[in-house]
Amino acid sequence: MRLLEFGCVLVVVSALLISGDAEIYIVTVEGEPIISYTGGISGFEATAVESDEKIDTESELVTSYARHLEKKHDMLLGLLFEEGTYQKLYSYRHLINGFAVHISPEQAETLRRAPGVKSVERDWKVRKHTTHTPQFLGLPTGVWPTGGGFDRAGEDIVIGFVDSGIYPHHPSFATHNAEPYGPVPKYRGKCEADPDTKRSYCNGKIVGAQHFAQAAIAAGAFNPIIDFASPLDGDGHGSHTASIAAGNNGIPVRMHGHEFGRASGMAPRARIAVYKALYRLFGGYVADVVAAIDQAVYDGVDILSLSVGPNSPPAATRTTFLNPFDATLLGAVKAGVFVAQAAGNGGPFPKTMVSYSPWIASVAAAIDDRRYKNHLMLGNGKILAGIGLSPSTHLNETYTLVAANDVLLDSSVMRYSPTDCQRPELLNKNLIKGNILLCGYSFNFVVGTASIKKVSETAKALAAVGFVLCVENVSPGTKFDPVPVGLPGILITDASYSKELINYYNITTPRDWTGRVKRFEGTGKIGDGLMPILHKSAPQVALFSARGPNIKDFSFQEADLLKPDILAPGSLIWAAWCPNGTDEPNYVGEGFAMISGTSMSAPHIAGIAALIKQKHPHWSPAAIKSALMTTSTTLDRAGNPLLAQQTSESEAMKLVKATPFDYGSGHVDPTAALDPGLIFDAGYEDYLGFLCTTPGIDIHEIRNYTHTPCNTTMGKPSNLNTPSITISHLVRTQVVTRTVTNVAEEETYVITARMQPAVAIEVNPPAMTIKAGASRQFSVTLTVRSVRGTYSFGEVLMKGNRGHKVRIPVLANGYRR
């Protein structure tokens, strides 16, 4: 993930009389949306769905009520404002009742005071949270065979992607080598056509393709030349996430003449529905994203994959759980859609989550067991470690080292940062040919104006045998990913190793009194970095992955809800790319990219959720989330507790013992998730109970977004039936209840609990027998023993006599009062 600032964009000149200081606002109004309308308006019968039930898009009741809502939106705006002084961008009718409109701040105040208007919020920006993993997760042997093999894994499950679009011609989405795809009757989405070729973006694998850009256009941020007014991916990010979740199986990943393995989605037979709402330069706007989600749910997707989130907690609302974005997702879950959202890339610092709500599966990022390492051997025998996804120089030969700043064609070129090695025309080819070119890793690489790909191209253009990039200054937490290149190359990431190399080079490079080089006498050779090293210490929590505690408001007060929920692979993930994608400068023009971020971990969970939905089609989103969480693991492949990457004062990175604030319930285990034994189920009314019992949330605000009064017996938000227990402010003793439902055969479970010493834990009953399909309640009692000012961590473990293991994390922060 990276914050995308406004670049140079094409301003769309409008004939409308909209004020020059106009902004986009998301407005909610009185009246229930389709998903929760229970009747009462003359001429319009109820359209509400039960919890976890899809909207009947073909019903005349639904379409006529939708027209009624849109007409009311238009009437309200028409009564308040003169025609031409405003621009309505969207009507939201399915999940929330409201609209997005481009108006002046003064008009927004008029709207706020208008009868029937519930909330008026200024739009805010969102950003992206920017193969080997199926084998690492055990899918080919443990999960796919139970669903009929990879050629049936995810069959007829539709995953919606709210992202930057798709490159439909990629082999990861092709249908010519697959068994023909039949229709999916439950899905009603549209397929836009390419504006130039008039060809549909859909092909049977891709079943829906739409784009949403009205807010971006109104804001003047949209440039049709580079952003494409179509579902075409102008960035790379959307194609990457779609192929992680649902890309075809066994697609060769080839770059620079080398095959890096074969890529596959988690659910290779699942269908893809594209809802493009993110763009290359500026990310996206919530008004567009909400419209995309609203349409996706109406169209009938089963799963939503969101590698997108706000830049920070929404400042306009009092709580993180109630805003147009999260309220729309609550409606999606009510309609039976499972939502996986990237946790954010603000780690390793606490309270950096940007996915907050209990109805969403918030996914943290793990490093899997692959590591790409390389080395540079100097002429003095020293070996310097680095990273470089490249072939080696000839094994038995060493080559002369030549630094870029010693082979400039003209001293006047210094203003072009020639040591970045981005422009071959600045350097003397005669001195570089047949040698290893030494370059410097400057800030330009961090901001994306320089790339390792370009260094490789420069070295090749100058006939160098290879290149070395030296990092001389590094900030704590700086992350370096290996980049595939076609000729020998290495990035020395450790500043102390870079210093050794520079000292060796200076000693072996005699100069005259002016500083000009007499002879290049330093030598070296570059190792083979193409083969990954598999580590048993995997998985680990990635440095960048956002951390808990979860927050409930803009003041960063902690919530009684664990976030993230689960950990999935999100580092160095190979997946599809589009040739015109510029999200990563090192992969411009390529068909695949290996990138990192919680953007990559969320579609892993979306794809695995599709496999669970395929096996258990009637499970609720909460049941799927529960199965993923309770069967996850807190151990690495060597059987040791999970570790998390963390910054230190003296070094760039260190490993510490991970906690639930790093990984949620643990790292996903797809095989176990298909057969969890017990589930912790919850629905729309339970989520309303959570909102109504959370201190500090205005009940009027809850009613504004949910159209439902607070009438709950939940007592405390910690009683929400989630597969985790979190108490942010534990005073003396608190009893928490949970209900489990048996989704297997009758089984007897022994229940044990353990906790760090500052908090005592007790569970009751100690054992229970649960019949198939039955539900049973148990209680967990937490008591403060000593006040430490930090959270205590523990777990409740339920072991069944048929082999099922159900584990939930427990977190509590003890206070005197």
Side-chain angles (χ1 to χ4, degrees):
M1 182 213 316
R2 54 189 172 81
L3 182 58
L4 296 173
E5 302 294 347
F6 285 94
C8 296
V9 295
L10 180 70
V11 177
V12 180
V13 180
S14 172
L16 297 175
L17 305 173
I18 296 170
S19 164
D21 62 348
E23 296 190 71
I24 299 160
Y25 293 85
I26 299 174
V27 182
T28 59
V29 295
E30 282 184 359
E32 294 170 317
I34 288 167
I35 199 163
S36 55
Y37 171 59
T38 54
I41 300 174
S42 178
F44 299 98
E45 292 185 38
T47 58
V49 300
E50 296 298 321
S51 193
D52 309 322
E53 183 187 343
K54 288 193 181 299
I55 299 169
D56 182 1
T57 57
E58 293 193 321
S59 162
E60 175 58 28
L61 298 177
V62 168
T63 54
S64 64
Y65 185 63
R67 287 193 296 268
H68 165 74
L69 291 179
E70 184 157 10
K71 189 176 178 182
K72 289 198 71 174
H73 301 162
D74 294 338
M75 282 178 61
L76 174 65
L77 289 167
L79 286 168
L80 291 176
F81 309 123
E82 286 185 37
E83 188 176 348
T85 64
Y86 67 91
Q87 181 189 8
K88 191 189 78 170
L89 307 176
Y90 298 106
S91 271
Y92 305 125
R93 301 159 299 172
H94 308 126
L95 307 179
I96 59 173
N97 179 20
F99 52 87
V101 64
H102 193 217
I103 50 176
S104 69
E106 292 76 22
Q107 288 173 305
E109 278 306 310
T110 302
L111 257 180
R112 279 194 184 93
R113 294 192 296 269
V117 172
K118 291 191 164 187
S119 67
V120 179
E121 293 187 29
R122 192 171 63 188
D123 195 8
W124 67 99
K125 287 178 74 177
V126 292
R127 55 182 171 182
K128 295 162 287 185
H129 297 307
T130 301
T131 201
H132 166 86
T133 46
Q135 285 76 21
F136 176 69
L137 293 169
L139 290 171
T141 55
V143 177
W144 290 348
T146 66
F150 72 83
D151 54 349
R152 286 285 176 270
E155 185 77 72
D156 289 341
I157 303 297
V158 181
I159 307 177
F161 296 88
V162 178
D163 215 298
S164 67
I166 199 163
Y167 183 64
H169 314 298
H170 197 281
S172 288
F173 314 122
T175 57
H176 50 264
N177 289 328
E179 185 178 326
Y181 285 93
V184 188
K186 65 186 177 185
Y187 180 75
R188 302 277 182 229
K190 289 192 307 185
C191 281
E192 293 181 23
D194 186 305
D196 298 322
T197 66
K198 309 305 179 189
R199 287 175 57 189
S200 170
Y201 281 92
C202 296
N203 61 2
K205 170 75 172 174
I206 303 169
V207 292
Q210 302 171 59
H211 83 288
F212 301 80
Q214 293 303 314
I217 292 168
F222 185 84
N223 181 347
I225 296 171
I226 61 172
D227 293 319
F228 306 121
S230 77
L232 183 65
D233 191 355
D235 179 283
H237 191 271
S239 301
H240 201 270
T241 56
S243 68
I244 290 170
N248 292 330
N249 180 60
I251 305 302
V253 179
R254 293 194 185 101
M255 284 181 72
H256 309 299
H258 182 78
E259 186 173 307
F260 290 94
R262 290 177 179 263
S264 172
M266 301 293 100
R269 190 70 181 176
R271 312 298 181 95
I272 293 168
V274 177
Y275 297 86
K276 177 178 171 181
L278 300 181
Y279 296 89
R280 186 184 291 189
L281 292 177
F282 55 87
Y285 289 85
V286 168
D288 289 330
V289 171
V290 167
I293 295 167
D294 193 60
Q295 189 64 50
V297 175
Y298 182 77
D299 289 344
V301 301
D302 298 296
I303 313 285
L304 263 178
S305 179
L306 299 177
S307 292
V308 57
N311 297 348
S312 62
T317 53
R318 293 187 184 88
T319 172
T320 52
F321 310 127
L322 282 177
N323 56 72
F325 182 75
D326 284 77
T328 301
L329 292 176
L330 176 58
V333 170
K334 186 180 184 185
V337 177
F338 175 88
V339 181
Q341 185 186 14
N345 291 359
F349 309 105
K351 298 188 181 181
T352 47
M353 295 288 305
V354 292
S355 176
Y356 313 101
S357 296
W359 45 90
I360 299 166
S362 307
V363 190
I367 295 168
D368 67 15
D369 59 349
R370 274 175 318 144
R371 308 283 194 279
Y372 287 100
K373 294 186 177 179
N374 206 342
H375 64 272
L376 170 69
M377 180 178 278
L378 300 178
N380 62 5
K382 283 207 170 167
I383 296 175
L384 305 180
I387 56 174
L389 244 165
S390 78
S392 65
T393 50
H394 289 298
L395 292 177
N396 298 320
E397 292 186 40
T398 58
Y399 298 88
T400 302
L401 304 178
V402 176
N405 58 356
D406 284 327
V407 290
L408 305 180
L409 283 174
D410 188 324
S411 60
S412 66
V413 304
M414 285 304 293
R415 65 181 182 276
Y416 298 115
S417 301
T419 57
D420 286 356
C421 299
Q422 300 295 292
R423 300 176 65 168
E425 68 273 16
L426 305 181
L427 306 175
N428 189 330
K429 183 174 182 177
N430 293 329
L431 295 175
I432 296 169
K433 185 177 181 180
N435 298 326
I436 293 175
L437 178 62
L438 304 185
C439 310
Y441 190 93
S442 70
F443 187 67
N444 293 334
F445 288 88
V446 178
V447 297
T449 55
S451 70
I452 296 173
K453 178 185 175 74
K454 192 66 183 171
V455 175
S456 174
E457 291 170 355
T458 297
K460 187 175 182 180
L462 297 171
V465 298
F467 67 88
V468 179
L469 258 176
C470 296
V471 178
E472 294 183 66
N473 296 297
V474 61
S475 303
T478 302
K479 181 172 157 290
F480 299 101
D481 284 348
V483 174
V485 290
L487 79 167
I490 187 170
L491 174 66
I492 306 294
T493 58
D494 189 313
S496 64
Y497 289 161
S498 292
K499 190 174 180 182
E500 279 194 53
L501 171 58
I502 292 164
N503 288 341
Y504 170 74
Y505 178 79
N506 287 335
I507 290 167
T508 58
T509 307
R511 302 171 185 270
D512 63 20
W513 65 276
T514 66
R516 187 176 299 166
V517 173
K518 292 181 181 178
R519 295 179 307 282
F520 296 101
E521 295 179 352
T523 60
K525 58 182 179 180
I526 298 169
D528 185 349
L530 292 172
M531 293 302 294
I533 302 164
L534 301 182
H535 281 248
K536 280 194 173 180
S537 60
Q540 295 170 354
V541 181
L543 186 71
F544 58 81
S545 186
R547 309 299 211 264
N550 192 21
I551 57 172
K552 64 181 180 182
D553 56 33
F554 194 61
S555 302
F556 287 81
Q557 290 189 67
E558 292 163 22
D560 287 341
L561 178 72
L562 176 62
K563 290 287 174 176
D565 291 303
I566 197 157
L567 183 67
S571 180
L572 306 182
I573 304 300
W574 277 114
W577 201 245
C578 60
N580 54 355
T582 59
D583 189 42
E584 291 287 339
N586 288 311
Y587 294 98
V588 174
E590 304 293 352
F592 291 91
M594 182 177 64
I595 55 178
S596 302
T598 52
S599 277
M600 285 64 253
S601 50
H604 278 92
I605 292 299
I608 296 165
L611 299 175
I612 299 173
K613 183 79 173 175
Q614 181 188 14
K615 184 175 180 182
H616 305 283
H618 302 298
W619 278 14
S620 69
I624 294 172
K625 180 178 166 183
S626 172
L628 290 163
M629 291 178 66
T630 61
T631 59
S632 62
T633 179
T634 58
L635 302 177
D636 64 22
R637 297 188 79 173
N640 299 315
L642 288 176
L643 298 175
Q645 293 185 341
Q646 184 59 260
T647 52
S648 66
E649 293 178 10
S650 58
E651 298 175 31
M653 196 264 293
K654 64 179 179 180
L655 290 171
V656 298
K657 186 179 177 182
T659 76
F661 288 140
D662 303 316
Y663 54 64
S665 59
H667 191 275
V668 64
D669 179 346
T671 305
L674 284 179
D675 181 22
L678 303 175
I679 57 166
F680 294 74
D681 210 352
Y684 186 72
E685 297 298 327
D686 301 295
Y687 297 129
L688 290 182
F690 170 83
L691 294 172
C692 291
T693 55
T694 295
I697 299 186
D698 187 336
I699 59 171
H700 300 294
E701 198 174 355
I702 297 171
R703 187 158 190 166
N704 282 351
Y705 281 106
T706 65
H707 308 276
T708 309
C710 279
N711 182 19
T712 180
T713 58
M714 188 174 286
K716 291 180 179 291
S718 53
N719 282 327
L720 175 65
N721 203 45
T722 56
S724 63
I725 295 171
T726 301
I727 302 177
S728 60
H729 196 104
L730 176 65
V731 178
R732 293 188 289 277
T733 295
Q734 187 171 324
V735 180
V736 177
T737 59
R738 287 293 184 270
T739 301
V740 290
T741 302
N742 189 358
V743 291
E745 295 178 27
E746 180 176 314
E747 194 163 3
T748 299
Y749 285 86
V750 174
I751 311 175
T752 57
R754 60 188 180 89
M755 199 80 183
Q756 289 176 328
V759 174
I761 187 168
E762 186 181 330
V763 65
N764 189 53
M768 56 188 180
T769 299
I770 315 177
K771 293 181 178 179
S775 298
R776 288 285 303 272
Q777 194 175 79
F778 67 92
S779 65
V780 178
T781 304
L782 298 166
T783 304
V784 177
R785 278 180 172 158
S786 61
V787 176
R788 299 189 312 165
T790 58
Y791 278 83
S792 295
F793 303 108
E795 65 179 20
V796 172
L797 182 63
M798 310 176 75
K799 282 188 176 181
N801 64 331
R802 291 181 176 272
H804 289 109
K805 286 183 183 178
V806 178
R807 183 186 52 80
I808 65 169
V810 181
L811 304 82
N813 195 355
Y815 288 81
R816 287 191 176 86
R817 58 186 177 86

